[in-house]
Amino acid sequence: LVGLSIVGRGRPSAWPHMEVMAKIELADVAATIPKTGQGVRRLSGRAQYDHLTSRLSIETANGFLETSPFTLQGNVNLAQPPTMDLALETDVELALAQPWLPEESALQTMSGPAHVQAQLRGSPSELRWDGQMRLMGASVQLRNWTPPISELNGMIQLTHQTLSTERLQAVVAKQPVTLSAHVTELTTTPRLVAHAQAGRFALLLKAIAHPDRIILENAELSSERSRLRLTGELGRAPAPISQLALAGTIELDDQQHVPWVSLAALAFWKPSGQADLQLKLAGPLHDWTRLNGIGALRANALQIRAIPVRGLAVEFDHAEGRSTIRIVNAVLADGRLAGRLILDHREDS
């Protein structure tokens, strides 16, 4: 039901410079959004239109976008180009926002409930907005990132160019994570500063996302006794060529607690003690046969299955599908140990 009352003043021959005011009342109106095909239903509200200023003033409007309730207030200037200044509040199912994301968005899919409050300003082509979103058990899948991210709970502050959150809770590939982050330049070259806690490990990250690569200005993974620093570039599809350098000290007891990395093969050896690690990788990280790498591990004293090892020096290199591990030096049970292991990698093994 649409109620319309119009008041005009002036001569009709003076159109369009005639004063016209229109009051509009909506009750239980249904419509379809052309861009997405989504349905708006049970739309009710009051608005007023001033022809001379081309302004539509929405006193109040409420309804449902599919199953998500929303309220809307503010002004829309219908001159060319049209502009808006609107306040929106909604309890939304995030999957409904999927069609509105740009094709190049880092978010591939998203779902789950969220409460959103936002202020929208500007023209449709240059829309500026800011607000906040409370996630309540949401899930997302990032583009070019395999592990699922689920059980997102917490508050996100948003503008058209920035995103920030404090102590956002999530589960990433079955690992609980607490995240605080700040992202700037969202629509151009996003810059990220983040701190995440996953189990006994903390991650500090500073990165810049370009269309073809992610530059890791600094990434530091640390626990009480381990500290590893990663720098370099992560390639993005369609040509994900990466160059990374890893260096630091690791407590070998920590290897079984490193998040998202399976080191089950090391568990049998029960290694313990501190070691210095250096590693450089170049190539596609998803294709071990095309990846090149070189590294070294050194330790003054450690234990393997309770057997003491002193003066350990191990070198590693990998190229063209072949890995070579050289024990340059080790003292085991008062005897010197040296050796070499060569592994050939194929696409099927």
Side-chain angles (χ1 to χ4, degrees):
L1 179 65
V2 178
L4 179 64
S5 62
I6 300 176
V7 176
R9 181 181 300 171
R11 297 178 181 178
S13 60
W15 186 267
H17 305 294
M18 181 178 172
E19 184 177 350
V20 176
M21 298 289 292
K23 291 186 177 181
I24 307 164
E25 292 195 10
L26 305 177
D28 203 20
V29 172
T32 300
I33 299 175
K35 178 180 178 179
T36 65
Q38 294 169 329
V40 177
R41 59 188 184 87
R42 295 173 59 184
L43 179 62
S44 301
R46 297 185 305 274
Q48 182 170 290
Y49 177 69
D50 184 340
H51 168 68
L52 287 181
T53 62
S54 299
R55 171 172 290 189
L56 176 67
S57 299
I58 302 172
E59 297 178 24
T60 180
N62 56 79
F64 288 82
L65 175 62
E66 298 292 345
T67 58
S68 297
F70 68 88
T71 60
L72 191 67
Q73 291 179 309
N75 300 305
V76 179
N77 191 321
L78 297 177
Q80 292 299 323
T83 58
M84 66 185 76
D85 186 353
L86 297 172
L88 170 69
E89 184 169 0
T90 178
D91 290 303
V92 67
E93 164 53 51
L94 290 176
L96 293 176
Q98 190 71 37
W100 298 91
L101 294 177
E103 293 183 1
E104 65 276 10
S105 171
L107 289 173
Q108 184 168 328
T109 61
M110 55 184 179
S111 62
H115 180 77
V116 178
Q117 292 177 295
Q119 192 77 30
L120 312 176
R121 297 184 177 92
S123 65
S125 61
E126 297 181 356
L127 191 62
R128 303 173 66 87
W129 50 278
D130 63 81
Q132 61 184 21
M133 176 187 302
R134 179 173 292 281
L135 301 176
M136 298 170 286
S139 298
V140 300
Q141 180 67 59
L142 300 180
R143 200 175 302 278
N144 304 321
W145 174 267
T146 302
I149 303 174
S150 60
E151 299 181 39
L152 282 156
N153 291 279
M155 186 73 75
I156 297 177
Q157 303 290 335
L158 293 160
T159 74
H160 66 292
Q161 283 284 28
T162 65
L163 178 153
S164 60
T165 185
E166 292 290 336
R167 299 194 62 78
L168 182 74
Q169 305 294 315
V171 174
V172 181
K174 301 181 180 181
Q175 171 69 56
V177 176
T178 301
L179 173 68
S180 297
H182 184 62
V183 185
T184 59
E185 302 180 36
L186 276 174
T187 60
T188 53
T189 305
R191 297 172 177 267
L192 167 68
V193 177
H195 175 271
Q197 187 73 40
R200 64 170 63 180
F201 279 89
L203 173 66
L204 293 174
L205 177 63
K206 186 177 182 180
I208 305 173
H210 293 273
D212 60 340
R213 68 194 189 281
I214 298 174
I215 298 177
L216 300 177
E217 293 186 329
N218 185 39
E220 189 173 286
L221 186 67
S222 61
S223 67
E224 184 177 348
R225 294 177 293 177
S226 298
R227 189 175 301 275
L228 295 171
R229 185 170 184 264
L230 180 68
T231 57
E233 298 182 0
L234 286 169
R236 304 177 71 177
I241 304 300
S242 302
Q243 295 187 16
L244 298 172
L246 177 69
T249 301
I250 183 169
E251 169 58 54
L252 297 180
D253 283 341
D254 284 340
Q255 51 82 24
Q256 58 185 315
H257 302 288
V258 177
W260 311 301
V261 178
S262 177
L263 299 173
L266 294 178
F268 171 81
W269 299 99
K270 299 180 181 179
S272 63
Q274 281 193 335
D276 294 327
L277 175 67
Q278 291 185 331
L279 180 65
K280 292 184 178 181
L281 298 173
L285 298 181
H286 67 281
D287 188 348
W288 190 245
T289 62
R290 296 168 51 206
L291 185 67
N292 295 326
I294 185 171
L297 184 144
R298 288 175 169 78
N300 291 327
L302 51 80
Q303 290 190 346
I304 299 176
R305 295 190 65 84
I307 300 174
V309 178
R310 294 180 288 109
L312 178 66
V314 177
E315 295 179 350
F316 163 85
D317 65 72
H318 176 84
E320 299 180 352
R322 169 171 287 190
S323 298
T324 302
I325 302 171
R326 291 183 294 272
I327 301 177
V328 179
N329 184 72
V331 177
L332 178 65
D334 294 326
R336 185 174 179 275
L337 176 66
R340 182 174 64 172
L341 174 65
I342 298 176
L343 301 172
D344 284 320
H345 302 270
R346 300 177 300 185
E347 292 186 359
D348 58 346
S349 65

